Amino acid sequence: MQLHGFTLLFAACIPAIVQGLYADQAGLYDWRQRFIGAARFARFDQSSHSSRRVLLATRSGVLASINARTGQLGWRQVFAQNDEIIALQHRGAVLTTLSSGGQMLRGWDISTGTLVWETVATENRGEANQTTSAVLVESKSGKSTAIAVLVGDDLQLFSSKSGQRLWGISLSESSLKGHFIQRLHG
């Protein structure tokens, strides 16, 4: 009986020990904050005149959307530590990232930050001495777009809406490689 009374006394004292944050203290004493890191690539969302988003890929492997006027974080996606973002393209409602040395090509919804599609761009991982680039190419009809990915000697073309591989060619034995890289960067 005496143990039961001690338990009740102890339970009555617990609320005095527990502390929390008031609404005006949020952000000042908050231990959970969402950082993105230093920007590596930045694209302005120009899908509509009222859009005020900046789409960023950082050196820390974070993909994020930030309100350009307030600086408020809209969404963020954290990539794996060995999954460095090496290229970023934006067209319409799709944000495309190339990562993992040119192996992974992903399409993201710019409004929500959700992954729309993911595909393997090339089996060959880009080496330090290889040129790795991603370019957005519009078709002649203007209704559909495609992403061209050049990793080392492999040139691949993917649908920007579904991530489906449309065609690919190895430029290792082609004399067009130097001409293509010159046009790509020039």
Side-chain angles (χ1 to χ4, degrees):
M1 185 73 170
Q2 200 172 27
L3 182 63
H4 182 36
F6 178 73
T7 306
L8 284 176
L9 179 65
F10 181 73
C13 293
I14 288 179
I17 298 171
V18 176
Q19 295 182 2
L21 293 176
Y22 293 103
D24 63 337
Q25 294 175 335
L28 298 176
Y29 303 106
D30 204 352
W31 58 88
R32 183 183 177 269
Q33 297 198 8
R34 296 171 50 179
F35 297 114
I36 60 171
R40 183 173 184 179
F41 301 105
R43 302 288 185 266
F44 288 96
D45 178 16
Q46 299 174 348
S47 58
S48 69
H49 293 293
S50 63
S51 180
R52 294 177 179 89
R53 275 188 288 242
V54 179
L55 306 165
L56 296 170
T58 70
R59 288 174 171 52
S60 307
V62 175
L63 184 65
S65 170
I66 297 178
N67 185 316
R69 291 200 176 177
T70 65
Q72 186 177 16
L73 186 63
W75 53 262
R76 76 176 187 149
Q77 296 291 339
V78 180
F79 284 46
Q81 192 167 0
N82 60 349
D83 196 12
E84 180 184 358
I85 302 169
I86 60 173
L88 179 72
Q89 293 292 336
H90 169 248
R91 174 65 106 202
V94 177
L95 180 66
T96 308
T97 59
L98 183 65
S99 60
S100 296
Q103 287 184 317
M104 296 305 299
L105 187 66
R106 295 178 178 102
W108 306 86
D109 183 304
I110 61 168
S111 316
T112 62
T114 56
L115 184 64
V116 178
W117 53 262
E118 177 180 53
T119 189
V120 175
T122 181
E123 297 297 326
N124 301 329
R125 188 172 179 89
E127 301 296 328
N129 60 351
Q130 290 182 329
T131 303
T132 304
S133 300
V135 174
L136 183 68
V137 180
E138 282 191 59
S139 68
K140 291 184 180 181
S141 67
K143 294 181 180 178
S144 63
T145 57
I147 303 291
V149 178
L150 176 65
V151 178
D153 294 333
D154 294 331
L155 175 64
Q156 309 286 333
L157 189 69
F158 297 90
S159 166
S160 63
K161 291 186 180 186
S162 65
Q164 180 182 7
R165 183 176 178 266
L166 302 174
W167 61 264
I169 187 170
S170 177
L171 300 174
S172 60
E173 299 172 8
S174 173
S175 62
L176 296 175
K177 180 182 178 185
H179 179 70
F180 182 78
I181 292 173
Q182 182 181 14
R183 299 280 288 175
L184 185 67
H185 294 289

